[in-house]
């Protein structure tokens, strides 16, 4: 996996963002209207690795499974990656592509949705109903953006340029 070019969004930041969202996700998954699988898979893409600069696989920054993967009844990881691929490639939320811009879909793209693009941050979720997958993806993306904002606030207080890590 290629390393991130983003100073503030790396694997550790993505893991932190997912961990911030997990309490809400775990509570929500107890509700039947959210989804009945009991499983969830989250994919976070590197915001600086684009289709012009990297392969899809190299652009995957972090992945996380909720629930025992040995008991999965479907390939939630595969679904989440497929959703992430559409959003990563188009730069648009999966639902927007599926419902309003299907002309942007290519051969072998998924017709599922549940991925978001928030200020260049792509997150995809699979396992719940699509509208909740989208909500969970959006929550993780917003938490990741907050982690980056906290990072810049800290660095700004220490100087005018980002020092090498």
């Amino acid at each position: 996996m290629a390393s991130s070019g983003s100073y503030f969004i790396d694997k550790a930041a993505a893991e932190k963002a997912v961990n911030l969202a997990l309490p809400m996700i775990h509570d929500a998954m107890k509700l039947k209207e959210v989804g009945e699988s009991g499983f969830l898979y989250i994919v976070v893409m590197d915001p600086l690795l684009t289709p012009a600069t990297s392969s899809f696989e190299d652009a995957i920054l972090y992945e996380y499974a909720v629930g025992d993967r040995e008991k999965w009844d479907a390939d939630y990881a595969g679904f989440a990656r497929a959703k992430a691929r559409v959003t990563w490639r188009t730069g648009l939320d999966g639902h927007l592509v599926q419902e309003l811009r299907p002309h942007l879909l290519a051969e072998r793209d998924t017709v599922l949705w549940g991925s978001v693009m928030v200020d260049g941050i792509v997150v995809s979720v699979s396992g719940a109903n699509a509208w909740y997958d989208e909500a969970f993806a959006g929550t993780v993306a917003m938490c990741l953006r907050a982690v980056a904002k906290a990072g810049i606030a800290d660095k700004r207080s220490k100087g005018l340029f980002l020092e090498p890590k």
Side-chain angles (χ1 to χ4, degrees):
M1 184 180 321
S3 64
S4 174
S6 174
Y7 194 87
F8 297 105
I9 295 180
D10 57 12
K11 185 176 180 179
E15 184 175 5
K16 183 174 185 176
V18 168
N19 285 332
L20 287 168
L22 281 177
M24 185 239 359
I25 290 170
H26 285 297
D27 283 349
M29 289 180 63
K30 295 173 188 172
L31 306 172
K32 289 288 186 199
E33 65 264 23
V34 170
E36 296 187 20
S37 75
F39 308 109
L40 205 70
Y41 200 78
I42 302 167
V43 175
V44 179
M45 304 298 293
D46 187 311
L48 290 185
L49 297 181
T50 69
T53 63
S54 90
S55 70
F56 173 75
E57 291 75 17
D58 285 342
I60 296 173
L61 184 62
Y62 183 70
E63 297 177 90
Y64 185 84
V66 175
D68 183 357
R69 288 184 77 165
E70 297 294 319
K71 297 179 182 175
W72 280 10
D73 58 347
D75 184 7
Y76 297 107
F79 297 154
R81 286 187 196 116
K83 294 174 189 184
R85 183 185 299 271
V86 169
T87 294
W88 178 73
R89 191 187 72 241
T90 64
L92 301 168
D93 290 355
H95 188 239
L96 178 65
V97 174
Q98 297 296 332
E99 296 301 321
L100 299 177
R101 299 201 178 123
H103 55 279
L104 297 177
L105 293 169
E107 188 173 295
R108 300 204 182 275
D109 277 347
T110 185
V111 296
L112 300 171
W113 57 277
S115 55
V116 299
M117 166 83 81
V118 176
D119 293 341
I121 299 168
V122 173
V123 179
S124 175
V125 174
S126 191
N129 290 319
W131 41 96
Y132 286 106
D133 284 346
E134 181 183 67
F136 300 150
T139 300
V140 171
M142 294 298 288
C143 287
L144 187 52
R145 189 173 76 171
V147 168
K149 286 181 176 186
I152 189 67
D154 178 61
K155 291 295 183 181
R156 189 176 288 123
S157 71
K158 296 175 181 168
L160 298 178
F161 295 93
L162 297 174
E163 297 295 324
K165 289 184 177 183

